[in-house]
Amino acid sequence: PTEDWLIVPGERVGKITATSTAAELIAAYGADNVKETEFFLGEGETEMGTGLFLDDETKTVRILWMDPENKATPATVELTGTKSVWKTAEGISLGTPLTKVQEINGKPFKLYGFEWDYGGSLSEGNKGNIKGLPHEDPEKGFQPVFFGLTFQPDYDAKPDYPQEKYSEVTGDTEFSSDHPVMQDVDPIVYAITVSFPEATE
């Protein structure tokens, strides 16, 4: 059977769903491909989670559990790097450029400047086409995020890009994806997080 590498925000990452357990993932993907791993929470903190395909960076996925003792009920599924076989139906994956994400979204979105803990993370999806992005509802306030994207400049692709240009889009400030320097830098997706609506909701 062909492998299923589809990401559906809020629903599944391949065979990983809101009710998955590590035991089910071992049955689905094989014991050799499911191992314990550290999950980075940010600001230098880590927690133990479960990793899939840890020896192939293009397939690696890390899972943080709501019930870590029983390794059940994924809280967050995360992919990091510059290239992955996992992607959404629209083709968003690790390495997708900002200009392509904006095109798929159908309108600009907001992201934080680079070079700090939450640098490059998408902060407001602007109610575009991409489901599950962060957005604020005028009546309900900030909505749960089922699809988190973090961008970083692709320094290898632009080795001669002037450093002072980068500094225009760094720091704890929100920038629109259609900001001229953001468009010019055209950072790539470096991290994808998928979470699920609480089963109890």
Side-chain angles (χ1 to χ4, degrees):
T2 53
E3 282 289 2
D4 173 4
W5 305 111
L6 188 67
I7 298 170
V8 184
E11 288 183 30
R12 66 188 185 92
V13 176
K15 296 179 176 128
I16 308 164
T17 67
T19 58
S20 290
T21 63
E24 288 169 3
L25 297 180
I26 288 169
Y29 292 108
D32 288 350
N33 296 319
V34 182
K35 299 269 188 331
E36 276 207 356
T37 183
E38 278 192 318
F39 192 101
F40 296 95
L41 302 172
E43 300 184 342
E45 303 227 355
T46 62
E47 201 172 296
M48 288 313 288
T50 298
L52 297 188
F53 306 109
L54 292 175
D55 30 8
D56 182 345
E57 285 179 4
T58 67
K59 294 180 181 176
T60 301
V61 168
R62 287 182 170 82
I63 301 154
L64 186 65
W65 301 104
M66 282 191 194
D67 177 357
E69 210 172 306
N70 298 304
K71 295 187 187 149
T73 319
T76 309
V77 182
E78 182 179 72
L79 298 74
T80 55
T82 55
K83 195 176 177 199
S84 178
V85 295
W86 300 93
K87 55 179 56 136
T88 67
E90 305 92 348
I92 297 172
S93 185
L94 298 179
T96 304
L98 171 134
T99 46
K100 178 74 177 161
V101 175
Q102 181 177 304
E103 185 189 314
I104 292 169
N105 198 43
K107 49 171 76 172
F109 51 84
K110 286 184 185 157
L111 67 161
Y112 287 111
F114 304 110
E115 306 290 335
W116 65 294
D117 263 4
Y118 298 103
S121 57
L122 193 154
S123 57
E124 169 62 65
N126 202 7
K127 298 197 180 75
N129 300 325
I130 301 170
K131 301 273 187 290
L133 292 179
H135 71 278
E136 196 146 6
D137 184 295
E139 288 171 15
K140 300 179 190 161
F142 204 71
Q143 294 303 290
V145 180
F146 302 127
F147 192 47
L149 298 176
T150 303
F151 295 83
Q152 74 172 22
D154 187 357
Y155 298 109
D156 295 340
K158 299 193 173 187
D160 304 323
Y161 196 73
Q163 191 57 47
E164 60 271 17
K165 277 286 203 190
Y166 284 126
S167 61
E168 286 184 41
V169 287
T170 58
D172 178 3
T173 308
E174 279 187 317
F175 293 91
S176 176
S177 59
D178 63 359
H179 183 290
V181 179
M182 273 295 179
Q183 290 277 309
D184 205 20
V185 170
D186 206 10
I188 56 172
V189 174
Y190 180 75
I192 294 175
T193 55
V194 177
S195 44
F196 307 99
E198 288 278 354
T200 54
E201 279 182 1

